[in-house]
Amino acid sequence: MTAPRRIRPALEALVARVEAEVRLRDTADRRLPAERQLAETLGVPRRALRDALAVLADHGGIARQVGRGTYVVGSGRDAGPSTDLVETSPVEVMAVRLAVEPELMPLAVAAARPADLDRVEACLSRGGIAESHEEFELWDASLHQALAAATHNRLAVALLTMVNAARDQPYWGSLKRRGFSPARRAIGHREHADVVQAVRNRDGRRAEELMRLHLTRVSARLFGPRVEPD
């Protein structure tokens, strides 16, 4: 049996992004999109995507079936701790995001490489032109995942992958739709753009402040004005 290949941090981050993309797509049979489509969605070269898919295949995370496509068949490289996302509430998810994501911004500022920043910008751009609630949600989650990936910290990537999986649970549906409108989408996009600009400027403190402000305002839009800062 061939030993699993050793992988670079950048490839590790891309593998996590592919796993996150699978969770973001509500496909009952866990089938991955076509390679070209997935590469365009993630904003990465097809060769890099093939390397990431090969890693997942090595570790039993996916299976390739001739004539049928590629399917997710396992939990990826490491199963990690067991989590019951069904019992996780939106309030719990936002509490974790507020506690964790702002603190990741200085790490992203310190560790991000040009390719990481390009991926972040691509997610920001796609979110800015999203026409539907579902499309905006996809690119919103992808942007936050890409920012975590820019830290090159595997624990941070895994944690944000779990958060994004929780965000895709059915109980979020009406809550997110209730807080969504073209005007609010535009506000969210501007807040994202401010965070991304601070990261690109290598201003860790500012990026942290802006991410905390963004998530606080997201909580306010979801749950009410009680968490809106002065």
Side-chain angles (χ1 to χ4, degrees):
M1 180 177 179
T2 303
R5 69 191 69 193
R6 299 179 62 182
I7 59 177
R8 304 180 304 278
L11 180 55
E12 180 86 13
L14 179 54
V15 171
R17 292 185 64 213
V18 173
E19 292 174 322
E21 181 70 16
V22 170
R23 292 184 177 93
L24 287 170
R25 292 175 177 272
D26 187 20
T27 52
D29 61 0
R30 307 293 281 170
R31 182 176 181 176
L32 286 172
E35 187 178 282
R36 177 177 296 176
Q37 178 185 347
L38 186 56
E40 290 176 354
T41 297
L42 295 172
V44 299
R46 291 180 69 179
R47 181 174 180 179
L49 176 63
R50 289 191 193 104
D51 288 343
L53 293 174
V55 171
L56 287 174
D58 280 351
H59 292 267
I62 61 173
R64 294 171 175 175
Q65 302 179 14
V66 178
R68 294 190 61 194
T70 303
Y71 293 81
V72 176
V73 295
S75 57
R77 293 155 292 155
D78 296 296
S82 176
T83 57
D84 187 355
L85 297 178
V86 174
E87 298 300 325
T88 303
S89 73
V91 171
E92 290 173 326
V93 172
M94 288 308 304
V96 169
R97 295 186 69 191
L98 274 162
V100 174
E101 288 195 62
E103 302 295 331
L104 295 182
M105 293 306 96
L107 299 179
V109 163
R113 302 164 186 167
D116 299 317
L117 297 176
D118 289 345
R119 285 193 289 271
V120 169
E121 292 279 5
C123 293
L124 176 67
S125 177
R126 296 294 291 269
I129 61 175
E131 296 182 354
S132 67
H133 164 74
E134 291 77 14
E135 188 179 3
F136 181 78
E137 282 293 317
L138 171 65
W139 290 108
D140 181 332
S142 296
L143 172 63
H144 285 271
Q145 187 78 34
L147 286 167
T151 67
H152 294 275
N153 182 305
R154 283 176 286 182
L155 183 58
V157 172
L159 180 57
L160 260 293
T161 299
M162 290 175 60
V163 167
N164 280 334
R167 289 176 62 186
D168 204 38
Q169 294 299 305
Y171 53 68
W172 276 89
S174 60
L175 184 62
K176 289 190 292 188
R177 286 183 178 279
R178 188 181 67 197
F180 181 83
S181 69
R184 286 186 171 182
R185 179 189 64 183
I187 291 171
H189 179 68
R190 286 198 300 271
E191 292 170 359
H192 284 160
D194 289 342
V195 172
V196 171
Q197 187 61 52
V199 172
R200 188 170 282 281
N201 289 344
R202 303 291 180 175
D203 190 338
R205 179 175 295 180
R206 182 63 173 158
E208 180 180 346
E209 292 173 350
L210 289 168
M211 179 60 81
R212 182 170 288 108
L213 180 61
H214 166 59
L215 293 175
T216 300
R217 287 174 170 170
V218 169
S219 292
R221 292 191 283 269
L222 289 171
F223 309 125
R226 59 185 173 83
V227 295
E228 183 72 28
D230 295 332

